[in-house]
């Protein structure tokens, strides 16, 4: 395999949790400035801008104006929480094509302060109008349908789903930035209230404010960056549906099957080569289905795979090492935080939660209602 042509050289979060004193623009500015400083760059170096969100009709136009930059390449692709893994893939393609040299990827949300999961006053229309009239809560109801089907087909249990939440909380306990750090047990998960059966409250991601940023550049510039470059070895993206009623198979995350296949093929690697995995955990069922789709275990084997705290600190499969969307933060579209944590793990910056010897990391984002998938494989020299 030839040496990768692009690398992540800067990552940062903004303030997280509840930030009533900041707008989505301020959160993105805070994260972007810190990520650029991490890379040893400034706003004047940025010639490509990527972001996604429902806070403006043309988010990159507003954000570029606010940041004071005039990019020659822009991308506001929105495929939900996987958008930022997709953005990274697009940035790599643009760099390889010689279209730009420094890409800034950002996200910000104030959904907790706004006390809402709504999408900026978004109303269901066109082909989305049919499910809400039957009372399906979005998105949790859709994931509950997938969980129910997975349980029916494969015998997956609520206890197995709870394993994901408990393990992730153990990682969060070692992350001072995590919103939820108190230990929980499988019984705690099962005794938490129903949100949409079979998903309990502790099967569901947090609702927080926050933002993040990632800086990507050419191989030549990466070698002179302030931090250790984290190379993009492979990437892939796919989407299969919008509404859950059009999901091809309720028990299989087919978008992740396609995106994972392409990312591994590009990297020339297999699931066995991954040292640390950052997998979108909007709900515990999301993780179980994604692990199967990416090939870490067989179809229907995800529940058994995560059992016995396999993914917890000290377990054989380190996963969601910052605490994930279940315990660290979840400002609506979580995918950018997967990239931030994967990068920090490969740079060896994670302190007590550091995965020893990590050289290859996978970050996988899921968007919509298991609608889209974007997979990135990262490595260090």
């Amino acid at each position: 395999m030839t040496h990768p042509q692009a690398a992540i050289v800067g990552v940062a979060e903004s303030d997280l949790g509840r930030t009533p004193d900041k707008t989505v623009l301020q959160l993105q500015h805070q994260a972007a400035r810190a990520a650029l400083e991490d890379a040893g760059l400034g706003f004047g170096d940025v010639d490509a801008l990527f972001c996604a969100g429902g806070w403006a009709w043309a988010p990159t136009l507003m954000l570029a104006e606010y940041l004071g930059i005039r990019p020659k390449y822009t991308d506001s692709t929105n495929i939900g929480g996987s958008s930022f893994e997709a953005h990274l893939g697009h940035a790599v393609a643009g760099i390889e094509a010689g279209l730009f040299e420094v890409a800034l990827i950002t996200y910000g949300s104030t959904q907790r302060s706004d006390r809402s999961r709504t999408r900026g006053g978004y109303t269901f229309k066109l082909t989305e109008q049919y499910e809400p009239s039957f009372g399906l809560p979005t998105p949790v109801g859709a994931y509950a349908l997938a969980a129910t089907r997975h349980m029916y087909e494969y015998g997956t249990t609520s206890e197995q789903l709870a394993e994901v939440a408990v393990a992730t909380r153990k990682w969060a306990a070692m992350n001072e930035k995590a919103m939820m750090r108190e230990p929980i047990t499988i019984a705690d998960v099962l005794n938490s209230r129903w949100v949409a059966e079979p998903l309990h409250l502790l099967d569901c991601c947090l609702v927080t404010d926050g933002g993040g940023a990632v800086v990507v550049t050419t191989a030549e510039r990466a070698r002179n960056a302030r931090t250790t470059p984290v190379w993009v070895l492979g990437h892939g993206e796919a989407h299969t549906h919008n509404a859950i009623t059009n999901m091809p198979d309720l028990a299989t995350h087919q978008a992740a099957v396609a995106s994972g296949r392409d990312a591994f093929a590009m990297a020339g690697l297999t699931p066995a080569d991954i040292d640390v995995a950052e997998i979108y955990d909007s709900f515990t069922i999301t993780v179980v289905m994604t692990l199967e789709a990416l090939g870490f275990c067989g179809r229907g084997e995800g529940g058994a795979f995560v059992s016995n705290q396999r993914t917890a600190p000290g377990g054989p499969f380190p996963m969601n090492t910052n605490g994930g969307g279940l315990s660290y933060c979840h400002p609506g579209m979580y995918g950018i935080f997967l990239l931030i944590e994967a990068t920090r793990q490969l740079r060896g910056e994670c302190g007590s939660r550091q995965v020893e010897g990590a050289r290859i990391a996978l970050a996988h984002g899921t968007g919509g209602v298991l609608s889209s998938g974007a997979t990135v494989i990262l490595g260090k020299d």
Side-chain angles (χ1 to χ4, degrees):
M1 184 178 69
T2 60
H3 196 281
Q5 298 303 301
I8 296 174
V9 292
V11 294
E13 309 104 325
S14 69
D15 293 341
L16 302 172
R18 188 170 184 273
T19 61
D21 60 322
K22 290 184 174 64
T23 68
V24 291
L25 294 173
Q26 290 172 310
L27 290 171
Q28 287 175 97
H29 178 270
Q30 183 185 33
R33 181 179 59 192
L36 287 164
E37 289 176 354
D38 189 41
L41 299 170
F43 285 109
D45 295 300
V46 176
D47 54 358
L49 180 64
F50 298 74
C51 73
W55 41 269
W57 74 272
T60 52
L61 296 185
M62 183 180 288
L63 182 62
E65 178 184 69
Y66 187 81
L67 298 179
I69 60 177
R70 295 181 179 179
K72 61 182 180 181
Y73 190 97
T74 189
D75 185 344
S76 55
T77 297
N78 188 344
I79 52 172
S82 61
S83 297
F84 312 100
E85 283 70 38
H87 289 168
L88 180 57
H90 299 179
V92 171
I95 287 171
E96 290 176 341
L99 300 178
F100 50 84
E101 292 189 356
V102 178
L104 174 64
I105 306 170
T106 75
Y107 176 65
S109 168
T110 54
Q111 70 166 20
R112 183 176 177 86
S113 292
D114 298 338
R115 300 180 64 81
S116 174
R117 279 190 184 274
T118 61
R119 292 175 280 176
Y122 184 87
T123 56
F124 294 99
K125 54 190 176 182
L126 299 175
T127 60
E128 293 181 330
Q129 67 183 292
Y130 305 109
E131 293 175 353
S133 60
F134 290 92
L136 184 73
T138 301
V140 64
Y143 284 85
L145 289 174
T148 300
R149 187 67 191 180
H150 202 274
M151 289 173 162
Y152 173 78
E153 288 198 18
Y154 304 120
T156 307
T157 67
S158 292
E159 288 80 4
Q160 290 173 330
L161 297 184
E163 292 267 7
V164 175
V166 173
T168 307
R169 182 64 64 89
K170 290 177 181 177
W171 287 109
M174 296 186 287
N175 183 0
E176 62 183 13
K177 296 181 180 179
M179 185 172 178
M180 304 297 288
R181 302 180 66 190
E182 292 297 318
I184 56 173
T185 65
I186 289 175
D188 290 331
V189 179
L190 300 183
N191 290 328
S192 62
R193 65 177 175 85
W194 293 117
V195 175
E197 194 175 351
L199 300 179
H200 301 81
L201 179 64
L202 294 178
D203 286 302
C204 304
C205 64
L206 304 173
V207 179
T208 74
D209 300 336
V214 174
V215 180
V216 191
T217 193
T218 63
E220 182 178 0
R221 295 187 71 154
R223 293 189 183 96
N224 297 316
R226 179 175 292 166
T227 56
T228 302
V230 170
W231 302 100
V232 184
L233 306 181
H235 56 86
E237 67 179 86
H239 52 90
T240 54
H241 61 282
N242 185 35
I244 194 67
T245 45
N246 290 315
M247 186 172 177
D249 180 346
L250 271 175
T252 304
H253 190 350
Q254 292 188 345
V257 171
S259 65
R261 178 191 62 224
D262 292 347
F264 278 116
M266 184 181 294
L269 299 171
T270 71
D273 296 309
I274 301 301
D275 298 314
V276 58
E278 311 297 340
I279 293 178
Y280 204 106
D281 58 342
S282 48
F283 304 93
T284 52
I285 186 61
T286 315
V287 175
V288 168
M289 292 176 66
T290 305
L291 288 168
E292 296 174 4
L294 295 175
F296 289 108
C297 57
R299 182 168 174 168
E301 297 175 358
F305 184 86
V306 299
S307 293
N308 300 313
Q309 293 295 280
R310 183 189 187 96
T311 66
F317 190 82
M319 183 185 75
N320 295 349
T321 50
N322 58 3
L326 291 169
S327 290
Y328 159 56
C329 77
H330 196 289
M333 295 165 66
Y334 179 71
I336 201 161
F337 301 98
L338 303 167
L339 298 174
I340 292 169
E341 177 68 6
T343 297
R344 287 176 172 160
Q345 283 287 344
L346 294 183
R347 297 197 314 202
E349 299 172 348
C350 293
S352 62
R353 70 178 193 278
Q354 178 64 44
V355 176
E356 185 176 357
R359 300 192 63 83
I360 305 292
L362 177 143
H364 176 87
T366 292
V369 288
L370 296 161
S371 309
S372 67
T375 312
V376 174
I377 299 175
L378 305 173
K380 69 177 183 179
D381 288 324

